[in-house]
Amino acid sequence: MLSVDYLTESEKSKVYSALEFSSAAHKGQVRKSGEDYISHPIAVAEILTTWKLDSKALCAALLHDVVEDTHISVENISSEFGKNIGKIVDGLSKLDKIKFDTKSQEQSENFRKMFLAMSRDVRVILIKLADRLHNMRTIQFVKDKDKIIRKAKETMEIYAPLADRMGMNRIRDELEDLS
């Protein structure tokens, strides 16, 4: 499961509560790979554990698609897990609404700046990078070739340079390789 040995017992409990909540919310949903949908938030959280992110980031990672894919609102998340986690999830939801149509390096730079400006909490960007990393690791299950090309281009123009700017060279390299 999640390698959260570096967290306190109460932090671990909160993370496992978020896992149970997300699992229940995504019940019956499946990924294009055929796996239960919850496998994606777990994989994103697992990436974050390798970076030793805090329990709030792990909770937000586990909950990051709940607002987009279910009837549960940010207010529900805030009520259940606290305003801080709710704000992180809300920031991720807002970033997910941005539609990229990258046509130039300048436009890509503007998107990266917008990402950073919209994120009042660096954990939003870190979760978004982990989310993209896992999606790129599993992109072979997407059947639409145009979507694959679009996601790979976004990754090369937005996410890999963002990882580079944050000093995450290994992540940048993997994103570039997967693209």
Side-chain angles (χ1 to χ4, degrees):
M1 189 59 81
L2 293 173
S3 302
V4 293
D5 295 340
Y6 63 95
L7 299 176
T8 67
E9 289 306 314
S10 68
E11 290 169 331
K12 288 177 190 177
S13 177
K14 193 83 155 176
V15 169
Y16 289 121
S17 292
L19 174 59
E20 289 174 19
F21 187 93
S22 183
S23 185
H26 289 296
K27 188 171 179 70
Q29 295 177 342
V30 294
R31 289 183 50 87
K32 292 189 185 331
S33 65
E35 293 177 292
D36 288 338
Y37 192 85
I38 192 62
S39 66
H40 171 66
I42 290 171
V44 172
E46 284 175 345
I47 291 167
L48 299 179
T49 64
T50 67
W51 303 342
K52 301 291 189 229
L53 263 63
D54 67 3
S55 63
K56 289 179 176 69
L58 298 177
C59 288
L62 290 165
L63 299 164
H64 81 274
D65 283 333
V66 168
V67 173
E68 296 298 319
D69 298 341
T70 74
H71 65 282
I72 297 168
S73 69
V74 172
E75 291 76 24
N76 296 132
I77 299 290
S78 294
S79 173
E80 186 75 24
F81 295 97
K83 291 185 188 287
N84 202 330
I85 293 170
K87 285 180 183 179
I88 296 170
V89 171
D90 189 43
L92 288 161
S93 296
K94 288 177 179 169
L95 287 180
D96 282 343
K97 291 178 181 158
I98 298 171
K99 298 295 178 213
F100 297 105
D101 184 19
T102 54
K103 292 187 168 80
S104 72
Q105 189 168 10
E106 182 181 331
Q107 187 176 14
S108 297
E109 178 64 20
N110 289 338
F111 281 128
R112 286 190 294 274
K113 286 179 183 174
M114 182 173 55
F115 256 53
L116 293 171
M118 286 179 67
S119 174
R120 294 192 171 110
D121 189 326
V122 72
R123 291 173 292 194
V124 172
I125 300 297
L126 294 171
I127 295 166
K128 194 66 186 156
L129 283 170
D131 178 55
R132 179 52 63 113
L133 181 59
H134 182 254
N135 282 331
M136 291 304 293
R137 286 175 177 172
T138 59
I139 201 159
Q140 72 271 19
F141 297 107
V142 176
K143 300 298 179 216
D144 181 343
K145 296 295 181 201
D146 290 335
K147 185 174 184 177
I148 292 171
I149 291 167
R150 189 175 66 251
K151 293 294 182 186
K153 188 173 181 181
E154 280 176 15
T155 301
M156 288 295 288
E157 294 180 358
I158 308 295
Y159 294 95
L162 195 55
D164 185 55
R165 287 232 169 107
M166 296 182 75
M168 303 174 81
N169 298 332
R170 206 176 83 242
I171 302 307
R172 178 208 57 216
D173 291 346
E174 186 175 355
L175 288 170
E176 288 175 347
D177 290 346
L178 291 166
S179 295

